[in-house]
Amino acid sequence: MEWTKAISTAIEYIERNLTEDISVEEIARQVNISPFYFQKGFGMLCGFTIGEYIRNRRLALAAEELAEGNLKVIDAAVKYCYDSPDSFAKAFYRFHGVMPSMVQKNSTMLKAFAPLKIKLSLKGGYVMDYKIVKKESFSVLGVAKSFTYENAKQGITQFWTELGHYKNGNLVCGMFGVNIHEDAIKCDGDSESEFEYLVADLYNPSADIPEGLTVRTIPALTWAVFPIKGPAPEALQDVNTKIFSEWLPALTNYEIAAGICIEMYDLPSNYPNGISDENYYTEIWIPVKKK
């Protein structure tokens, strides 16, 4: 399915099922996209994680019903898939700034949150370099940590900063940043699906695995490889955004093949200004398959 249409279809599915338990896996299955890339692309295009969108829509609808007097607080909590009235009240207060019990007693100011609608706009018009490459299976050795989609952008940057003792001990150079998400979990609006991120190097099977490090095997896949020149992480983040907002919507012969994404980093010591150098080289690898 064409990428922008897939996002629109997914939003329609979410809207039809806001009072049901919704999993990221099931939403992604509706549009035949890997849960990992669906969540990543949804955030890039819409500006919200899936969990944020579901939570905000549920709380906006619950407020409307409470204001109309059609629903008790305890019933609203059950209807909109909260585990308890307390968890519903806390989420409601964070979003609206008032407790749900106050809505029926006063003319309370509430926040609206309308359904998203995807509109096409003319963008791009530039050449985006990439190549399709088949790679055999290989293994990486690195430090792993789990992130939610809500905290990933800041969390991964901090994760790299925290790895100084591994790098100083020459245990990890940081050739790869590997995102892996194979299993989806319930997305109830208050909990976020997680993925694993590794700062890693190629694994040498003849060497011992140091304490605190993990080995992951990357299967044989066909990859779309995007070469990037410019300071990290800004240049890499810019291309990553364009992949999801412009390259994928225009893609006709291929589709995403697996819940893995790889960033490849050249050695900073090869450049006068390290990762801040205007010529610093990185790559983004996205697994693809023929439609």
Side-chain angles (χ1 to χ4, degrees):
M1 183 182 294
E2 190 269 328
W3 181 252
T4 322
K5 174 61 177 174
I7 297 295
S8 295
T9 300
I11 290 170
E12 291 170 4
Y13 177 80
I14 291 170
E15 289 296 318
R16 293 195 304 270
N17 292 276
L18 283 170
T19 57
E20 307 293 332
D21 287 341
I22 305 175
S23 73
V24 172
E25 185 177 44
E26 180 58 33
I27 298 169
R29 188 181 299 123
Q30 301 300 312
V31 291
N32 195 32
I33 295 175
S34 151
F36 173 84
Y37 280 100
F38 173 72
Q39 292 184 103
K40 193 168 184 177
F42 187 96
M44 292 282 187
L45 284 180
C46 303
F48 302 96
T49 66
I50 298 171
E52 287 175 322
Y53 180 74
I54 293 172
R55 178 172 60 249
N56 292 350
R57 284 292 295 140
R58 283 174 171 169
L59 292 171
L61 292 175
E64 289 180 16
E65 294 198 62
L66 290 171
E68 291 169 1
N70 295 334
L71 212 58
K72 295 180 180 179
V73 172
I74 189 171
D75 295 329
V78 172
K79 180 175 182 178
Y80 290 103
C81 305
Y82 282 85
D83 293 333
S84 69
D86 283 346
S87 63
F88 171 70
K90 289 177 182 177
F92 193 96
Y93 184 82
R94 285 195 301 269
F95 184 70
H96 290 287
V98 296
M99 297 299 288
S101 57
M102 299 300 295
V103 173
Q104 294 171 322
K105 297 178 182 178
N106 303 292
S107 298
T108 305
M109 188 74 70
L110 299 169
K111 292 181 180 178
F113 189 83
L116 287 170
K117 295 186 183 296
I118 303 297
K119 293 183 179 180
L120 291 176
S121 60
L122 293 175
K123 290 185 177 181
Y126 61 90
V127 176
M128 191 171 187
D129 293 331
Y130 73 97
K131 57 185 176 181
I132 302 297
V133 180
K134 289 185 178 180
K135 293 182 181 290
E136 296 300 320
S137 173
F138 65 98
S139 296
V140 296
L141 172 72
V143 187
K145 188 172 182 178
S146 293
F147 294 91
T148 67
Y149 290 87
E150 287 192 345
N151 71 10
K153 188 171 183 179
Q154 295 79 14
I156 290 175
T157 299
Q158 182 63 31
F159 183 43
W160 278 88
T161 302
E162 293 169 352
L163 293 176
H165 63 289
Y166 286 101
K167 292 185 176 181
N168 292 338
N170 295 320
L171 297 178
V172 173
C173 294
M175 178 181 180
F176 298 112
V178 183
N179 298 250
I180 302 175
H181 185 182
E182 297 297 344
D183 300 317
I185 58 177
K186 178 181 173 182
C187 183
D188 62 9
D190 270 349
S191 64
E192 276 282 326
S193 184
E194 293 185 344
F195 65 93
E196 183 181 60
Y197 184 89
L198 291 92
V199 175
D201 301 321
L202 288 173
Y203 171 55
N204 178 3
S206 64
D208 293 333
I209 301 174
E211 184 178 353
L213 271 62
T214 301
V215 174
R216 292 285 182 267
T217 298
I218 310 300
L221 290 165
T222 299
W223 301 85
V225 177
F226 298 82
I228 305 161
K229 274 189 176 183
E234 295 81 7
L236 188 141
Q237 291 171 350
D238 181 59
V239 171
N240 207 13
T241 299
K242 288 183 171 66
I243 287 171
F244 285 92
S245 63
E246 302 187 31
W247 180 75
L248 272 173
L251 200 60
T252 56
N253 296 325
Y254 289 91
E255 60 186 4
I256 290 171
I260 303 173
C261 175
I262 295 178
E263 305 147 2
M264 192 282 293
Y265 300 89
D266 201 356
L267 283 172
S269 58
N270 291 339
Y271 302 87
N273 297 313
I275 65 171
S276 299
D277 198 276
E278 62 180 9
N279 292 313
Y280 182 65
Y281 184 78
T282 55
E283 291 179 352
I284 293 176
W285 302 0
I286 292 183
V288 293
K289 62 183 178 182
K290 285 275 192 177
K291 287 185 177 180

